[in-house]
Structures are given as structure tokens and as C-alpha cells.
Amino acid sequence: MSGLYGRLMPGSSSSRHVSRRAALALGLGAATSVTLPGPRAAAAAAVGGERLGRSGVQVASGAPRLPKLAAQAWLVADHDSGDVLASYAAHRALPPASTLKMLFADTVLPKFGRTSVHRVTAADLAGIPYGSSLVGVQAGTSYTVEQLWQGVFLRSGNDAVHVLASMNGGVDETVRQMQARAKDLQANDTHVVSPDGFDHKGQVSSAYDLTLFARAGLKNDDFRGYCATKTADFPAGGKKTFQIQNTDRLLTGQGVAAYQGLIGVKNGYTSHAGNTFTGAATRGGRTLLVTVMHPKSGYEAVYEETAALLDWGFAAAGKADPVGTLVTPLSEQPKGAAAKRRAGAAGAGAAGAPVAATATSHMDDWAFGGSAAIAVLAGGGLLALRRRERERPSGRRRRQG
């Protein structure tokens, strides 16, 4: 970001004052004023609605009491309508761990028939990060595409991810396609570095974006089938196989009670990112999506908090007005809608309104207590600058995997 607006962003040393030279550079001899956005500017630009960009818990008054939660970010939404029923730090950028594999599947899964066979080479397995979760793919062994996706969904196998990425033109090309798919889904908090979700520097997503990935994926019957599969037989070389189990504990009931009506979707864990999970469940004809990112402690907490939020969501049916919405992918919007939105955003930018919802724009609150005005007066080049601001910390630090 450049210009006066960039220099006035909170957190930088130049946000505390505007130099006389910088102010004069705006143009002497013409009277003008520039009004900077107030403390809710970032929230107003949030994808899905202004409330999703705010700090603090967002829920309609009169809704049932929410459970006690320790996650750094979470969201509850109706799968069919897209209504967001409640959220906390929905757009906070955090390491996604293997929940990013949902975006990988959204991007690559439709490209290959499930019965297609691929003989794995050593080159297919190159570049897998040390310490990755593996399903046991072996060079020289042939696998169906279905078996590779079972390795991705059930065991979160980075080896299976890298083989599929190699089939798709390589890791770099797959990353490019994933970022393009995220843009189409309007998942603007997401930055993809690798398709596997491992702790790569700068790789982040948000509770809102992960929920978009799950909702998009569940439209695909194969995606839906894979994430609901509890066990599968996986090739071990020759005619031998071994059984793999799904690591989604709300699906299998391992360590925690299986959740009634659960239909997926994807869990994730790394030592740096902590636990992440997006789950979907159906009861009484209603399907909910819940994403929970990084509870403060306990391996089971991500499942327990997801189950509690699902329970709350089903109990809140008809009692909680939405606080936002899961947006429609750009490619599914009426023809011309995207162009109109871009034109509107450009016009808003020219008028001095905040534009662009990016990962870095979704800070909890900007540290401006009001607006600032700069007036440049014609004639003798007199500059009058009056500004008062209050600064407070955002209350969080971005963590990157």
C-alpha cells in the first residue's frame, strides 16, 4: 500500500503523525480534504458481511446461549442457505494444517476419473516435507485415483497429495490453481504455499474460508463420499492390501463420541498450527457446517467444540438470525455480476471508501478512534492539520505455519 493512506495505517511509526512535507505534497493551491476510514472500515469490507469482520463473538440477540469455547476462531453456518448463525474471528488468518486439503480436493478432484490408474514414480513423491502424515504410497506401485483420494481424506496422506499434484502438472501448478480456486470462492484470507497444508511459512486460511471450501466440496458426490468413508483397503504392493482408518474422530468415535448425523469433512493437526477441523452434520433435514481453529489445549478439544457448536446450531434453528452469509462463488454468480461488483469497488475506492477484502485487511479493529481530515488551502500555501486519534493493539498476533 502506498500514499498517505498507507502511511497512516495503524501499527506503523508514521501512523502517529503526518509530516508537513507529506501533507503539502497532496497539492498546494487547491482546497481539498481526505477523510480516512473509521474503526469499522475493515469490518465493513469483510466478505460475507460487516459483522464477520468484527472482533468478539457474533450472534443474534435472543439466540440460545453458546457453549464455552477456547478456539482462536470458529464459525457455524447453514449449509443450504449459507446463513452464518454465529462466529468468532471468522476472518482471522491462521495456519490451516490439513484442512487446506479441502481446497486441494475442490481444485483437483474433478479432473481425474476415480477408476483411472496411475503407476507412482519416485519423482511423484519428491518434495514431501519431513514429518508429514503419510498413507504409505510406494514408488513402482499402481493406484487408482479413488485409492489416492482415500489416502488424502482418510489418512491425510501428504504422499497421496503429492502424487495427485504431480498428475495435475506439478506442485507449483497445483498451488497456482488452488489460489485461483480460492479467489473464485472469494476465500480472500487464504494464501496457498503447498497443497498439503503442512507448516509452510506464510500459508494461512480462516474459519470463514475453510467453511467455504467444505461447502463447495460437498456439492461433489465423490468428495462427499470420501470424507464420509470410515475405512478402506489400501495397496501394499503386489496383491497385498492393508486397512486405513479415517482420522476424523467425530466420524469414527475413536477417543470421542461419534456425532449423530456427521457427514465429514476434514481434520488437521501440526505441532505448530495446532488442531483444526471443519465438520458437517445433518439432522431433521437441516445440514450445518462448523469450523473450529486451534483450541488452546487438548487434542480432543477441536472435536468437542465442534460437536458443541453443532448441537447449538441445531437448537438455534429458527431462533438465531444470521450474522453473515457464505458467499456464492464468482463463477456461479449471474453473468455480469462480478464485473458490476468490481466497478462498484473501483468507484468506492475513488471516493475514498475502503476497498479490497484481503487476508491482511481482516484485523480485529483498526486503531483509529475516529476519522482524520487533512485540508490544504489555496493562496499562501497555508496548511491546517488537526487530528486526534486513539491507538490500541489489535489483541492478537497472526500466526503463520
Side-chain angles (χ1 to χ4, degrees):
M1 185 177 296
S2 62
L4 176 64
Y5 181 71
R7 290 194 294 273
L8 288 178
M9 285 293 289
S12 66
S13 60
S14 57
S15 68
R16 295 172 186 162
H17 67 277
V18 178
S19 70
R20 187 178 184 86
R21 179 180 298 178
L24 288 170
L26 290 173
L28 293 174
T32 183
S33 66
V34 179
T35 301
L36 298 179
R40 293 300 182 190
V47 176
E50 183 266 343
R51 291 191 65 174
L52 300 185
R54 297 183 191 175
S55 60
V57 173
Q58 303 303 315
V59 64
S61 59
R65 180 184 292 273
L66 283 159
K68 186 176 181 180
L69 304 166
Q72 293 186 37
W74 54 263
L75 184 143
V76 186
D78 186 285
H79 171 272
D80 297 324
S81 68
D83 289 344
V84 177
L85 305 180
S87 71
Y88 172 67
H91 285 291
R92 177 175 291 173
L94 293 165
S98 287
T99 46
L100 191 66
K101 289 181 171 77
M102 293 187 293
L103 176 60
F104 173 68
D106 287 343
T107 305
V108 178
L109 193 152
K111 298 186 177 185
F112 305 104
R114 61 190 301 159
T115 60
S116 298
V117 177
H118 178 76
R119 185 176 179 84
V120 174
T121 67
D124 293 336
L125 299 172
I128 299 172
Y130 177 78
S132 289
S133 56
L134 304 172
V135 65
V137 176
Q138 302 176 34
T141 299
S142 295
Y143 301 84
T144 65
V145 167
E146 177 180 23
Q147 289 167 335
L148 291 171
W149 282 114
Q150 287 171 341
V152 172
F153 277 89
L154 275 67
R155 298 302 300 175
S156 211
N158 287 359
D159 46 357
V161 169
H162 279 251
V163 171
L164 287 162
S166 179
M167 293 168 60
N168 188 51
V171 168
D172 290 344
E173 173 61 17
T174 300
V175 167
R176 185 193 67 78
Q177 293 177 18
M178 288 173 66
Q179 197 66 65
R181 177 58 171 157
K183 182 177 180 181
D184 176 56
L185 294 171
Q186 302 190 65
N188 295 338
D189 306 317
T190 297
H191 178 64
V192 183
V193 178
S194 178
D196 50 38
F198 200 73
D199 285 334
H200 301 282
K201 184 177 181 180
Q203 185 150 266
V204 293
S205 190
S206 66
Y208 184 86
D209 287 8
L210 293 177
T211 309
L212 290 179
F213 302 154
R215 190 185 189 208
L218 290 171
K219 296 177 183 178
N220 183 297
D221 289 340
D222 286 340
F223 182 110
R224 199 180 187 99
Y226 291 139
C227 71
T229 300
K230 295 182 180 180
T231 63
D233 292 327
F234 198 79
K239 296 183 179 180
K240 296 180 180 180
T241 62
F242 61 95
Q243 188 182 81
I244 57 175
Q245 300 83 31
N246 201 314
T247 56
D248 178 350
R249 298 190 175 201
L250 286 186
L251 183 69
T252 64
Q254 182 179 7
V256 297
Y259 194 85
Q260 179 186 355
L262 195 83
I263 55 176
V265 197
K266 190 71 186 76
N267 58 332
Y269 171 79
T270 67
S271 56
H272 173 67
N275 289 282
T276 58
F277 183 63
T278 297
T282 300
R283 286 185 184 176
R286 177 184 176 91
T287 299
L288 296 180
L289 295 163
V290 167
T291 295
V292 173
M293 299 188 76
H294 316 314
K296 293 180 180 179
S297 63
Y299 187 79
E300 311 296 356
V302 73
Y303 301 106
E304 294 166 351
E305 294 194 11
T306 298
L309 284 170
L310 284 168
D311 285 344
W312 177 88
F314 288 120
K319 302 175 184 177
D321 292 331
V323 296
T325 186
L326 300 178
V327 292
T328 303
L330 298 178
S331 58
E332 297 178 19
Q333 293 184 6
K335 192 174 182 180
K340 290 180 181 179
R341 186 180 58 258
R342 286 194 297 270
V355 294
T358 64
T360 55
S361 72
H362 294 300
M363 304 295 286
D364 287 349
D365 275 321
W366 287 359
F368 282 81
S371 62
I374 298 174
V376 181
L377 305 179
L382 177 63
L383 174 65
L385 175 60
R386 292 182 179 272
R387 184 168 62 109
R388 177 174 294 177
E389 64 183 36
R390 298 191 303 271
E391 292 188 31
R392 67 176 186 274
S394 65
R396 68 173 180 84
R397 294 182 179 177
R398 173 179 294 179
R399 297 176 58 203
Q400 296 182 334

